[in-house]
Amino acid sequence: MRTVRDAAFDVLRRTGMTTIFSNPGSTEIPLLAGLPDDFAFVLGLHEGAVVGMATGWAIAHNRPALALLHTTAGLGNAVGAIATARSNRAPVVIVTGQQDRRHLALEPFLAGHGLTALAGPYPVWTAEPVRPQEVPGAIARACHEAATRRGPAIVVVPQDDWAQPAEEAVLAAPGTVLRPAAVTDADVAELARLLAGARSPALVTGAGADSPEAWRALVALAERLRCPVFAEPFGSRAGFPQDHPQYGGLLPAEREGLRERLRGHDVVLAVGAAAFRQYVYRPGPLVAAGTVVAVVSDDPDEVHRSAAELAVLAPPAAVCERLAALVPERTGVAAPSFARDTAPPYTPGEPLRAVHVLGELAARLAPETILVEETPSSRPDLVRLIPARRPLGFLAAGMGGLGFALPAAVGLRMAAPDRPVVAVTGDGAALYGIQALWSAAHYHVGVLFVVLANGRYAVMDRLAEGIGAGKAPWPPFPEVSVAGLARSLGCPARRVEDLADLTAVLDEVIPALGRRDEPLLLDVAVVPDTEYRL
C-alpha cells in the first residue's frame, strides 16, 4: 500500500528537500524510522540550532530547506529562530508533529494546542491538513510559499497520518512554480527620471541585494552615477562589494547620525533595504529637508513600511540593471573614493581587545570567506574592518536575537563546502546556540568559530550605563569556559589569551580553512569595550 509518508517523500524529492534538519520526538518517529537512503538526516541538540542550521543552508542554496520539529515544546523552543528566519528572508519549511489524530479529542499527553499560531506572525504560511491525504500537498505548497514569500512555512502533521493510504492524496500545489523577474523600461521610468535629475545622489544597499546579479547591477549603477554607496543600518547581509572605492560604510542606526551622513544628497535610493531601519530612538526626521527617498525591493513588507516618496516593488537586480542602462552618466564630478579602515596597533603588554582580534582576521581572511557575525558589542568594528568582498560574504541575524551564528555557520558550510566559513561571536551570544557545536563535530563541518570572550554581556553593560539610571543588576560570568563547553560537545577548541597565541593559530588554520573538515573553536580572552557605538 502506498502511504501518505511515501507520497510526502516523493514531494520532498521533487522539491529538493532531501536533507532533514531535526531534533525529533515521539510524534516524528513514524516519519523517520526507516528513512530512505536518498535522504540525509542532520541532528541538532536544540530546536533553535535545528532551525538555525536550516536557515544557513537555505540562504546558501537560495532554496527551501526542511526542518522537522517535535510538537508544542519543540516548536516553542524554535520560535526565536523562526523569527530570525523570517527577518533573514530564509525559505525554511518546518514540519511539526502532533499527537495521534484518533484521540486528539481526549487531549492526550503531548497534544499540541494551536500549533499553527504558536510562532505568531513570523511564518509566511501555516497549514494543519484536515485529512491525512492532504499532507503531501500541504508540504508542496509550503515549499512554494517559503520560496515565493521568503520565509518559514509550517505544516502540522499528526503522527498517525504518515501510515494512512495515499490513494486519494490531494496534491493541491503545482509541481513547479516559475517566478519571472523581468523589468521593462516603463516600469522604472519614474525612478530613472528621479536619478537623472539628481544633483548629488546616493545609494543605500541592504540584504535584499545580496546576489551576484544585484552586485553587478549596483556596481554599474553606482559607477554611472559616480555616487557613494552606503550599507543599511543593522543589515543582515551585504548588498554591495565593500572593497569597492565608492563604498562609504555603514549608516548610523539613529536619526541624528543618519541625517548628517545623508545631508547634501538630494536623492537617496535604498536598494534591497527599507528606508530606514533604526535601533535607538532619537527625535527628528530620518533625512534632512530637501532629500527625496526612493526604495527598490522585492519584499512587500519592506516597501510598505518605508518612509519614501517613491517605491518600486520588483527584484533589485533587474531594476538596477535597467537603471544602469537608462540613467545618463554623470559627468563633471569625480567618483568618491573612501579609504579603508585598519585596526589600531597592538602595544605589547596591553590587554587583548576585540578590535585587535578583528584586525588579525581582516589581514588573513580570503575574499571568498563567509563571515557570520553575532558579537553585539564589537559589531561596529567588525563591519568596519572586515569588508564583504563576495556575495554572501557577510551574514548576521536580521531579528537581532542571539543564538544564530553558530548553527547558521554550520548550515552554511554544509551547503557551501567550497567556501571558508568563520563565525565571530561573543561568549554571551554563543551560549544561546552552543548545541550546534555538536552537530558541527559529528558531521565534520569545518567551520572556524571565533568567540570573543569578555565574560559578560558587554553591550548590555554599555547600554545601561548610557541611560545614566544606575548600576545594572546582572552579574558577569567569567567562570564560563566556552572552550570547555565546546570540548564537552566533541568540538575541538583552544583557549587564546594573547596576540602571539592568536596570530600563531590563525596562521596555522586560515590558509587551509576552505579544505577543513573538522570544526575548531577559538575561545579568545578579550577585555570588554568601554563604549558602545551604533
Side-chain angles (χ1 to χ4, degrees), residues 89 204-210 218 232 239 270-274 295-298 302 316:
R89 304 176 70 189
V204 177
T205 63
D210 187 19
L218 276 162
E232 67 167 326
V271 180
V295 171
V296 172
S297 175
D298 60 358
E302 204 165 64

Side-chain angles (χ1 to χ4, degrees), residues 59-200:
I59 288 172
H61 274 305
N62 196 31
R63 58 183 173 87
L66 177 64
L68 178 66
L69 302 180
H70 191 33
T71 185
T72 312
L75 181 59
N77 282 344
V79 168
I82 291 169
T84 296
R86 175 66 180 271
S87 186
N88 280 72
R89 304 176 70 189
V92 179
V93 173
I94 298 169
V95 175
T96 298
Q98 171 64 292
Q99 246 284 9
D100 194 303
R101 190 188 291 270
R102 294 167 294 188
H103 67 162
L104 273 177
L106 300 175
E107 296 192 14
F109 182 65
L110 292 179
H113 292 275
L115 291 177
T116 56
L118 188 57
Y122 295 112
V124 297
W125 186 77
T126 61
E128 194 163 4
V130 176
R131 300 169 57 240
Q133 288 74 23
E134 296 176 7
V135 168
I139 293 173
R141 180 170 173 182
C143 179
H144 297 323
E145 296 280 1
T148 301
R149 298 163 69 177
R150 309 304 294 177
I154 296 177
V155 180
V156 178
V157 183
Q159 65 186 74
D160 59 310
D161 281 12
W162 303 112
Q164 300 306 308
E167 286 84 355
E168 300 178 11
V170 181
L171 289 174
T176 301
V177 175
L178 302 178
R179 302 174 179 86
V183 173
T184 68
D185 291 357
D187 294 330
V188 298
E190 188 173 352
L191 184 54
R193 285 193 295 270
L194 181 65
L195 289 172
R199 170 183 47 81
S200 177

